[in-house]
Amino acid sequence: MATVDKQPAIRCRNLVKEYGSGNSLVRALRGVDLDVYAGELTLMVGPSGCGKTTLLSVVAGILEPTSGEVDVLGTDIARMAQWRKVKFRRDNIGFVFQQYNLLPALTAAENVSVPLILAGVPKRKAVEAAIKMLNQMDMGSRAHALPSKLSGGQQQRVAIARALVHHPQLLVCDEPTSALDAKTGHTIMEILRNVAVEGDRAVIIVTHDSRVLEFGDRIARMEDGHIVSVSPEAATIAAH
Amino acid sequence: MSWVALRMLTGNRAKFMGIVLGVTFAALLIAQQASIFCGLMLMTTSQIRDIQGAQIWVMDPNVQFIDDIKPMSEVELFRVRGVPGVEWAVRLYKGLSRAKLDDGTFQQVILLGLDDASMVGAPSEMIYGSIADLRRPDAIIMDENGYGQLWPGEKFQPGKVFEMNDRRAQIVGLCKARPTFQTFPVVYTRYSQATKFAPPERKMMSFVLANPQPNVPVEEACRRIIDQTGLQAMTNEAFAWKTINYYMLKTGIPINFGITVFLGFLVGTAIAGQTFYLFTIENLKQFGALKAMGAGNLKLLGMIMLQAAVVAFIGYGLGVGAAAFFGHMTGGTSQLAYFMPWEVLWGTGVAVVLISILSSLLCIRRVMVLEPAIVFQG
């Protein structure tokens, strides 16, 4: 677990995100302050529409904040040029999506190799690295299967392998267990707990699934665009 | 990412085939209709290309195309012969005549009267008989397709007789001739004979065929003929183009074919565009995921362009191939005009590229403006 004197991997201060304008203005984030530490698994929970996914998108460099500071891995991504942001995401962030978003025409290994291909690694080397990563996920035997031939849990493992194959420092996961049954969801969280956090990687997970709260090192509760609580508090973590 | 783009494209076979078929259909329709049009235009020049041996055609200044006959006085022949740089000049009759067959039926024929002495313009490929046979009384040589038209299913019988302008005409030879625009049989005879087969007119000479002296360029000879006689003189090629241009500008044929070609273009664009667009929409989340993972807009643009290019290439190949196969299979049919010059292949290629660009433009726009945050919307 992280300690309080450690620099946060993600540091948000007074983060505001608004959609639309005039009468149709929606304030999705209303001054969010949040620290996420490397080597920790941070869960973001809260009711639908509270701004969890918006916050995840902002810290992942996918959405521009309206105002406030977002410092990710020591870089102020709010002020970053678009093309730098694309490169930053490619090099530093792994993504796990609720609906897996695997390319249906590619095999599991090819899907996992995509971030490496995007980084300019030749296909053959990328697929070799992808198969290694799938082996770590106990998916080596299904490396050449198409996503349509895999179960939901297997697809999510492939998605996690894809998110980790290029060894990002930050892993962002959007509802990784919500499409899975309890047992598979548990397995996926164990994988994220064991594989993702290793190597001093920061993991941030948005979830509705109360069954997975036990896996979080830190749980940030959101309501109406605010972080209403973070438990345990940094001080508590330090005490442990 | 090229292989990813290609695998995305071909992953769903049915969709892939749908897009390719749209382009194929457009390419087929465009290439086939354009080839038929070119074939028709070429047919209008059949006689110009069949009448060989002379490099220069001389005619009345108001003649607009090969079948626009404005007879000249015989004096003009001698005036052409008197132009410096002209090696020789001979007369040619060209007109329509009515053939009366044994059973009393009539059929229009294209009558070509060749210079009695030189026989310049005689058919180049004889199937039966020889050009010299035309020197026999009442002799005519008929083209193979025309014979089949007058006596369908009958085997060729030399010596067969019919009437033109109440005069006896005897077939002494059978030749090959290019299919004509009017689809009438072509009858070759001597000039003196032709003037008897044709309805009498004050002036009978349709054209003068001439050749320049060896040291005089053909264009220069034409210019001299024009300057000194006031007649129209041009090379075979120029006369063929004059004829084609007449049909292009003064008839509705290009418009009719143009409409079909345009429809082919529209239908192809609609089918390919719609399928390609749907394909992109279905893959929007995947594109979003790629964007989130760090694929820039340029990379995604390249992927879509590659997919469009592959579809265009395959569709073009299949479409043009099918059009060529159609032309090959119907090549033996004399009535069907079909000519596929490289310009048709080129034009079809340009049309297919346009179809692909138009089809992919909407997709490109959708992907370019796509917010990668879409992937977080479960």
Side-chain angles (χ1 to χ4, degrees):
Chain A
M1 270 192 198
T3 52
V4 281
D5 55 345
K6 193 174 179 183
Q7 279 291 98
I10 301 171
R11 184 172 175 276
C12 302
R13 288 293 175 271
N14 200 22
L15 199 58
V16 174
K17 176 64 186 175
E18 294 170 350
Y19 295 106
S21 59
N23 289 339
S24 60
L25 182 79
V26 176
R27 285 208 168 89
L29 300 178
R30 301 163 179 250
V32 168
D33 293 332
L34 177 70
D35 289 338
V36 174
Y37 291 91
E40 281 187 15
L41 197 149
T42 303
L43 298 179
M44 282 173 34
V45 297
S48 293
C50 69
K52 303 185 299 286
T53 300
T54 300
L55 179 58
L56 190 72
S57 301
V58 171
V59 298
I62 285 174
L63 278 183
E64 301 269 343
T66 308
S67 64
E69 291 174 28
V70 199
D71 192 286
V72 180
L73 306 171
T75 310
D76 183 0
I77 59 165
R79 285 176 182 76
M80 209 181 255
Q82 196 56 41
W83 68 272
R84 275 187 188 278
K85 218 179 269 186
V86 169
K87 188 177 182 311
F88 183 81
R89 286 204 302 267
R90 188 166 64 213
D91 295 341
N92 299 297
I93 304 178
F95 290 88
V96 177
F97 309 109
Q98 181 181 353
Q99 296 299 329
Y100 328 126
N101 285 322
L102 299 174
L103 297 172
L106 305 190
T107 64
E110 287 167 341
N111 264 292
V112 174
S113 72
V114 166
L116 294 174
I117 302 283
L118 284 172
V121 178
K123 186 190 172 190
R124 201 173 144 186
K125 278 192 174 176
V127 172
E128 277 172 16
I131 291 172
K132 261 187 206 168
M133 184 55 72
L134 282 170
N135 282 329
Q136 283 187 47
M137 302 279 162
D138 286 334
M139 283 291 293
S141 60
R142 306 309 313 271
H144 301 295
L146 290 172
S148 57
K149 302 288 177 198
L150 301 175
S151 68
Q154 287 174 325
Q155 287 189 58
Q156 196 58 298
R157 283 191 208 203
V158 173
I160 293 170
R162 180 178 66 181
L164 296 175
V165 73
H166 56 308
H167 306 294
Q169 288 176 265
L170 172 64
L171 186 67
V172 294
C173 312
D174 181 41
E175 308 272 9
T177 58
S178 67
L180 305 172
D181 59 70
K183 193 180 166 204
T184 313
H186 199 272
T187 310
I188 291 297
M189 286 308 291
E190 273 179 347
I191 289 170
L192 285 172
R193 188 80 195 84
N194 299 333
V195 180
V197 177
E198 73 182 16
D200 226 18
R201 181 180 289 127
V203 180
I204 182 164
I205 299 175
V206 161
T207 185
H208 263 115
D209 192 351
S210 56
R211 297 168 301 184
V212 303
L213 296 184
E214 60 183 284
F215 292 95
D217 295 315
R218 197 185 297 266
I219 300 168
R221 288 181 196 281
M222 282 193 80
E223 255 175 50
D224 201 20
H226 296 282
I227 301 276
V228 291
S229 69
V230 178
S231 59
E233 291 296 337
T236 318
I237 296 170
H240 281 78
Chain B
M1 292 295 282
S2 312
W3 65 273
V4 176
L6 293 179
R7 293 283 288 279
M8 281 174 80
L9 176 69
T10 55
N12 186 331
R13 295 267 159 82
K15 289 248 157 47
F16 175 59
M17 290 305 291
I19 307 170
V20 168
L21 275 180
V23 179
T24 301
F25 177 72
L28 169 64
L29 206 58
I30 293 168
Q32 189 218 38
Q33 290 298 307
S35 296
I36 292 176
F37 174 71
C38 288
L40 270 180
M41 289 300 103
L42 205 62
M43 266 188 176
T44 64
T45 66
S46 293
Q47 265 109 60
I48 301 171
R49 288 178 296 130
D50 274 348
I51 293 173
Q52 292 179 358
Q55 295 181 56
I56 300 172
W57 286 71
V58 185
M59 65 207 85
D60 183 275
N62 296 315
V63 168
Q64 300 180 79
F65 61 106
I66 179 79
D67 295 312
D68 179 28
I69 308 292
K70 295 192 168 69
M72 298 175 287
S73 147
E74 294 280 324
V75 177
E76 304 295 1
L77 172 66
F78 301 107
R79 292 180 69 202
V80 173
R81 281 177 178 166
V83 173
V86 172
E87 189 179 33
W88 53 258
V90 295
R91 46 173 83 78
L92 175 77
Y93 175 84
K94 181 180 183 305
L96 292 175
S97 185
R98 280 205 309 170
K100 185 183 175 191
L101 308 183
D102 293 344
D103 58 4
T105 57
F106 288 90
Q107 165 72 52
Q108 284 225 298
V109 296
I110 296 168
L111 185 60
L112 292 171
L114 312 175
D115 177 59
D116 287 44
S118 64
M119 296 283 180
V120 170
S124 56
E125 194 178 345
M126 293 296 295
I127 296 168
Y128 179 87
S130 71
I131 307 297
D133 292 334
L134 278 184
R135 300 193 189 285
R136 285 154 52 182
D138 307 330
I140 63 118
I141 292 172
M142 186 174 279
D143 77 300
E144 187 186 21
N145 294 326
Y147 187 89
Q149 248 178 285
L150 293 185
W151 296 282
E154 261 189 47
K155 209 175 163 194
F156 174 68
Q157 293 171 352
K160 207 165 177 78
V161 172
F162 63 96
E163 281 181 23
M164 283 189 287
N165 197 28
D166 294 331
R167 290 190 178 263
R168 180 176 175 273
Q170 186 174 31
I171 301 175
V172 296
L174 197 67
C175 69
K176 277 202 180 292
R178 289 181 171 86
T180 61
F181 188 65
Q182 300 96 329
T183 69
F184 297 149
V186 182
V187 170
Y188 292 88
T189 187
R190 282 173 286 120
Y191 185 89
S192 56
Q193 192 76 52
T195 54
K196 291 171 189 155
F197 286 145
E201 286 183 78
R202 195 165 62 85
K203 298 174 186 174
M204 295 296 283
M205 190 173 68
S206 315
F207 297 97
V208 172
L209 300 176
N211 242 22
Q213 285 171 347
N215 56 345
V216 179
V218 63
E219 288 81 9
E220 172 61 19
C222 290
R223 195 186 57 75
R224 289 182 192 174
I225 294 169
I226 295 166
D227 288 349
Q228 292 198 22
T229 64
L231 297 170
Q232 209 178 164
M234 61 190 81
T235 61
N236 295 344
E237 198 184 338
F239 191 30
W241 276 111
K242 187 179 174 70
T243 299
I244 288 173
N245 286 337
Y246 172 84
Y247 281 96
M248 297 267 274
L249 299 172
K250 301 283 176 69
T251 70
I253 298 170
I255 295 169
N256 291 332
F257 277 91
I259 288 169
T260 314
V261 167
F262 184 65
L263 278 179
F265 180 80
L266 278 189
V267 171
T269 308
I271 297 175
Q274 190 191 19
T275 326
F276 199 45
Y277 185 66
L278 284 176
F279 162 79
T280 308
I281 294 296
E282 278 177 17
N283 285 302
L284 219 49
K285 278 225 159 185
Q286 271 76 43
F287 281 118
L290 288 173
K291 260 191 167 183
M293 287 191 285
N297 271 346
L298 267 181
K299 197 154 266 182
L300 297 180
L301 174 72
M303 287 173 72
I304 294 174
M305 292 305 285
L306 176 69
Q307 290 170 339
V310 167
V311 167
F313 185 74
I314 298 174
Y316 172 77
L318 289 176
V320 164
F325 182 70
F326 174 85
H328 176 72
M329 294 305 285
T330 54
T333 316
S334 63
Q335 271 77 17
L336 188 83
Y338 205 88
F339 176 55
M340 191 188 268
W342 65 267
E343 287 91 343
V344 168
L345 299 177
W346 228 95
T348 308
V350 170
V352 166
V353 167
L354 274 178
I355 288 172
S356 305
I357 290 173
L358 288 174
S359 307
S360 53
L361 271 183
L362 279 178
C363 308
I364 287 169
R365 197 189 157 274
R366 278 303 294 260
V367 173
M368 292 299 105
V369 300
L370 176 70
E371 282 287 347
I374 187 179
V375 288
F376 288 142
Q377 293 158 13

